[in-house]
Amino acid sequence: MTGMSSAAPQTDDEARVDLTRHKWPDAVRFIPYWGDLYWEGLDGERVLLLGESHYRKEGLSDSLEVTRPFTQDHFREMASPVRSGRHGPFFKALDLVLVGQQDFDLQEAADSWKRVAFMNLSQSLAGSQANHRPRNEALREGGDVLVRDILPVLKPTVVLVLGRMTWWFLSHGRREPALSPFIAKEVNRKSGRRRYVEERDVWSLDYKGGSALMTWVYHPSWNVDTWRDRSAALRHLIALSKRD
């Protein structure tokens, strides 16, 4: 039709958001962590590590003043080789996911953390101890916030879900049967009467302006997946995303 022009599609550079200036809606109670080189990505892919929930100290409130900086305050130090309080097994497990080798120094881990993002699905604090579970509804609602308010800003191409419960309650996305599933070759296949899953489907997670490939691993605090399998799951997603 004469007199009308169609806008050219945004390039990847033009679509990038200045994350430091972004105005998050109140539903985003925990602003995600992202590294300074997030837009450059890990092996060229924008990676989001998606955990379950944060735990409160006794007496800590759920006010936005408390929750908004919580994730960034806890994970910003991961992008530094000098860490004052991030030496526990959970944080080392995350380092191993990113670095992909057992013998690494903290500078290697820090360099990887500069290229990824991290957040937890629940947008409310859980109990005061790691064995306190978030409410199921908090995880469901967190999935809605993730897809509606966070993914269109971070624009990840790869999402690794850290925990089977988090995966269960993330009621978004669709299974991609044409894509090779991830096979956890070293999974602890049986513990007592419980059998653990080796084959994890790859799903696509669509959001406004983009889509990511995702799969899951057992929570790093569980003795089910080895660090090699957790890291391999991330590399599997990256390889599939590059192939698209």
Side-chain angles (χ1 to χ4, degrees):
M1 184 181 299
T2 57
M4 297 183 65
S5 61
S6 58
Q10 287 184 314
T11 65
D12 193 51
D13 285 341
E14 290 170 336
R16 295 181 180 184
V17 175
D18 184 348
L19 297 173
T20 62
R21 296 177 179 272
H22 183 70
K23 302 298 183 184
W24 300 93
D26 286 353
V28 181
R29 304 191 65 82
F30 294 86
I31 296 175
Y33 159 82
W34 61 84
D36 292 342
L37 301 178
Y38 172 72
W39 290 116
E40 295 183 15
L42 188 68
D43 294 334
E45 299 296 319
R46 294 187 295 272
V47 172
L48 172 63
L49 301 180
L50 182 63
E52 182 181 278
S53 60
H54 289 297
Y55 300 94
R56 73 173 78 236
K57 293 181 179 179
E58 293 294 341
L60 201 61
S61 76
D62 283 309
S63 68
L64 284 177
E65 291 77 13
V66 171
T67 61
R68 273 287 171 89
F70 202 94
T71 305
Q72 293 191 343
D73 286 351
H74 276 69
F75 282 86
R76 190 178 295 112
E77 191 176 278
M78 301 295 282
S80 169
V82 180
R83 301 178 184 175
S84 60
R86 303 288 175 257
H87 295 295
F90 175 73
F91 294 101
K92 182 177 181 181
L94 295 185
D95 284 338
L96 286 166
V97 168
L98 297 180
V99 176
Q101 60 184 40
Q102 191 162 25
D103 297 323
F104 68 90
D105 58 41
L106 286 179
Q107 184 62 62
E108 290 178 277
D111 290 343
S112 295
W113 278 100
K114 291 175 184 177
R115 297 179 173 277
V116 303
F118 178 93
M119 62 169 286
N120 282 322
L121 187 62
S122 174
Q123 291 294 310
S124 60
L125 290 163
S128 58
Q129 299 177 21
N131 61 349
H132 291 171
R133 311 303 305 172
R135 294 179 298 108
N136 294 349
E137 190 60 29
L139 294 173
R140 293 191 188 97
E141 292 173 355
D144 295 337
V145 173
L146 171 73
V147 173
R148 184 187 66 232
D149 299 319
I150 298 176
L151 296 184
V153 179
L154 291 180
K155 299 179 176 65
T157 56
V158 163
V159 177
L160 181 63
V161 180
L162 304 171
R164 196 178 187 190
M165 177 174 284
T166 306
W167 179 261
W168 279 341
F169 286 102
L170 179 57
S171 55
H172 295 271
R174 66 180 184 277
R175 180 173 171 267
E176 294 290 353
L179 295 180
S180 302
F182 169 69
I183 308 297
K185 297 179 180 179
E186 299 183 19
V187 68
N188 180 1
R189 293 175 178 81
K190 189 173 181 181
S191 177
R193 296 181 179 179
R194 185 169 185 173
R195 298 188 67 86
Y196 293 109
V197 177
E198 300 171 42
E199 183 173 307
R200 296 53 172 310
D201 290 331
V202 173
W203 284 47
S204 60
L205 181 60
D206 296 337
Y207 53 86
K208 185 177 180 180
S211 182
L213 294 181
M214 66 177 182
T215 193
W216 62 278
V217 294
Y218 285 100
H219 196 278
S221 64
W222 288 26
N223 184 28
V224 179
D225 285 330
T226 66
W227 70 266
R228 285 176 289 272
D229 276 338
R230 288 191 291 266
S231 182
L234 176 58
R235 268 68 195 177
H236 184 70
L237 289 176
I238 289 173
L240 289 176
S241 185
K242 284 181 175 296
R243 197 183 305 166
D244 271 3

